[in-house]
Amino acid sequence: MDIKRIEPREWNSRAVAHGDLVYCSGIVADDKSLPMKGQTEQVLRKIDAALAAAGTDKSRILSATVYMADAALKDEMNEAWMAWVDKSNLPTRTAIGAALTPKTLVEITVCAAKS
């Protein structure tokens, strides 16, 4: 089976596709001045792009892990998540508080099946 590396960079790839699975790296917002909901929306758009580059989409996400710099902001993250997620194909999801890089409020990683 071939391995496809999407957006390889100095220290990692945005995503890696192998067989029928796509693994996304932890993705963060570019605009760190945004509040939690805005950063989450930006991250989710970047996930859409990474999945599309790998030949799949959010309806095929199997699992997601959401890291939040402040778990007290989970409701704001959930507002963006629920507006974005395919409600007919909900993945498993874990959301946890974690120490993130300065001004990063949320980091999300997903694993998806290829279409």
Side-chain angles (χ1 to χ4, degrees):
M1 279 187 250
D2 288 337
I3 297 173
K4 180 180 179 183
R5 299 181 194 285
I6 293 117
E7 294 183 45
R9 297 171 284 183
E10 183 179 345
W11 63 92
N12 69 358
S13 294
R14 170 76 57 182
V16 174
H18 179 255
D20 292 334
L21 295 176
V22 177
Y23 305 89
C24 287
S25 289
I27 297 177
V28 300
D30 294 322
D31 185 351
K32 303 296 193 287
S33 69
L34 294 172
M36 174 62 91
K37 183 179 177 188
Q39 284 195 29
T40 304
E41 290 168 339
Q42 195 172 84
V43 168
L44 297 173
R45 286 191 298 272
K46 290 171 77 173
I47 290 172
D48 280 334
L51 293 175
T56 192
D57 62 57
K58 66 184 173 186
S59 73
R60 310 278 295 164
I61 294 175
L62 303 171
S63 65
T65 304
V66 180
Y67 302 95
M68 298 169 292
D70 183 352
L73 300 176
K74 186 175 180 179
D75 288 344
E76 290 180 46
M77 180 278 297
N78 272 335
E79 190 176 335
W81 175 270
M82 292 310 296
W84 172 81
V85 73
D86 183 334
K87 292 178 187 71
S88 298
N89 296 290
L90 293 169
T92 64
R93 190 189 85 177
T94 302
I96 59 172
L100 300 176
T101 56
K103 299 185 182 179
T104 296
L105 299 178
V106 63
E107 181 171 342
I108 302 174
T109 184
V110 300
C111 178
K114 289 181 88 173
S115 296

